[in-house]
Amino acid sequence: MVVEGYLDRDVNTAVMRLSRKGYLYVLAYTGKRDYDNFQVQSLFASNDSIKNASINLDDKMLTIRGVDRFTLSDSLKIFGVPSDKTLRIGKGRAFTLNGQFKAGTLRYAGRDLKFDYDKFSMNLNKIDSITFSSSKLASQGKEGEVGGDIKYENPGTVYFGSADNKSGRIAGKKTTQRLVMPEGMTVYFNQPIRGNITYNQKVYFKIPAIDNDSLGKGDISFIGTFHSDGIFPPFKAELKTMPDNTLGFVHKAPATGYPIYSNKKGSSPSNVKFTGELTMDKTGLRAEGVLNHLTASLDTKGILFMTDSLLASGDKGEIKEGLVGKGYFPQVQLNNYSLKWWPKADSMVITTSKNNFNFYNATANLEGSLVLRSAGLFGNGTLRRRDSEAISKSIKFNKEGFV
């Protein structure tokens, strides 16, 4: 114990007493004093010009090379992994690193990460990512981290519990992490994990300035505003971990409905409204609900919203007879239909499983597809009557008949 520094031995009297280190260990063991487990190991092939550790006498910085990983608090599961295997330690054990800093279920990655030992906090100067291990996945026996799609344009600070509870074992002291981002952050939906359903950077979720003092306690969630590049008006929602391990949200549209593509530049004015529940996850921005466009009422079972188009399908739908502006629309029943709508082209193409539509009290039948436009209803295919048959890529249905 003398060799390890727990006891001081008087060489003349052979009397041994607790050293400062030993006294600290006794207090820590009895829970009367906080402690840490800051350990740094260096494995570096030094030579005459470069050693595994050196001190700059001007700024008093200790540079340690050959550091694969170091522990700051084993109880709080805090450790660092320098990407350049270098750790720079200054006064009061404050240090700087490039790489990753793991704390509990959260992982902080970036450059010029400055740790303040006295405050037990870290300045996140250049953030590459902040990810966390999902408790939902863990409960399913799965591994994976969430949050890599959050972009941090500005610095922030994370506090690792209480500065006087570095051991994480003092009762009543805070152990959860606190993240302060004065400028907030942004989430985009264009990561490779989302497969073929990705969106440009005009589709994003903006999280305002945050001060979250409960990080590490359950899965993360943030309140912010979703911007859809003109698909919908901006709306507030809760960003959270979705069942497919991506960040997304579930949001209920108001009873009055959301106008769709009404703010889209270059598109024709739209009177389409959506009422239902929107979900953003790995499969894209999807929904089920009622679409009302011109005289069409479509009860959908699946809608995919993209920035330039909309895809939907359903069991039942109807185009009611009516006049909207100068456009006339005959009555048509739709069964087992699918559609794609290009707002900019003012074209909603509708097909059914049998590609078969009846018009004018079943006196006319179209085998093909319908195109719903503000100018009226058009057809593409073979139109049959009892006395005639016509094949055309642009059939216009009027009140008196078709051309």
Side-chain angles (χ1 to χ4, degrees), residues 63-328:
T63 300
I64 305 177
R65 304 172 184 87
V67 180
D68 291 324
R69 168 175 165 158
F70 65 92
T71 300
L72 186 63
S73 174
D74 52 0
S75 300
L76 294 175
K77 299 179 181 179
I78 301 177
F79 62 87
V81 182
S83 57
D84 54 3
K85 298 185 183 300
T86 302
L87 190 65
R88 298 168 181 84
I89 304 176
K91 182 179 180 181
R93 285 175 284 186
F95 60 82
T96 303
L97 82 153
N98 301 318
Q100 299 182 12
F101 206 74
K102 187 78 164 61
T105 59
L106 288 106
R107 185 189 305 273
Y108 304 87
R111 292 150 290 150
D112 194 27
L113 305 178
K114 296 183 181 297
F115 190 88
D116 187 320
Y117 187 84
D118 291 335
K119 294 180 180 179
F120 213 50
S121 65
M122 184 167 64
N123 290 333
L124 308 169
N125 294 317
K126 298 176 182 178
I127 308 170
D128 292 332
S129 65
I130 300 176
T131 58
F132 74 98
S133 302
S134 169
S135 60
K136 292 179 181 178
L137 283 179
S139 65
Q140 300 170 5
K142 300 178 182 179
E143 296 182 353
E145 295 184 347
V146 179
D149 38 7
I150 301 178
K151 301 302 178 184
Y152 304 84
E153 291 87 359
N154 296 286
T157 305
V158 59
Y159 298 86
F160 300 98
S162 299
D164 56 354
N165 189 25
K166 298 179 177 69
S167 64
R169 295 184 176 182
I170 299 179
K173 295 291 185 178
K174 185 177 177 60
T175 58
T176 55
Q177 300 168 48
R178 175 188 171 199
L179 179 65
V180 179
M181 299 294 300
E183 302 298 325
M185 51 260 203
T186 307
V187 178
Y188 298 101
F189 303 92
N190 58 357
Q191 301 76 33
I193 190 177
R194 296 183 183 270
N196 295 326
I197 310 299
T198 59
Y199 296 87
N200 63 47
Q201 290 201 339
K202 293 181 181 179
V203 178
Y204 61 93
F205 193 97
K206 181 61 180 177
I207 303 165
I210 66 167
D211 188 342
N212 188 330
D213 65 351
S214 298
L215 284 184
K217 185 178 180 181
D219 288 345
I220 62 171
S221 67
F222 300 103
I223 301 298
T225 302
F226 177 64
H227 300 261
S228 59
D229 190 20
I231 302 174
F232 297 102
F235 59 77
K236 289 188 176 181
E238 179 188 9
L239 189 76
K240 59 184 180 180
T241 308
M242 302 301 287
D244 62 4
N245 200 30
T246 61
L247 287 178
F249 57 81
V250 177
H251 175 75
K252 182 71 172 67
T256 54
Y258 280 138
I260 305 177
Y261 301 104
S262 62
N263 297 322
K264 192 72 178 174
K265 291 183 179 180
S267 298
S268 301
S270 167
N271 65 349
V272 180
K273 285 196 172 183
F274 169 77
T275 57
E277 190 173 79
L278 291 165
T279 299
M280 171 66 90
D281 59 15
K282 185 177 180 179
T283 62
L285 183 60
R286 294 183 178 270
E288 294 182 3
V290 178
L291 272 177
N292 294 303
H293 180 40
L294 299 170
T295 67
S297 179
L298 307 166
D299 191 1
T300 68
K301 284 194 171 181
I303 306 174
L304 172 62
F305 298 96
M306 301 302 292
T307 56
D308 63 343
S309 60
L310 176 154
L311 291 89
S313 61
D315 294 334
K316 296 287 185 181
E318 181 183 14
I319 300 174
K320 297 179 181 179
E321 184 179 10
L323 192 67
V324 178
K326 295 182 179 180
Y328 170 77

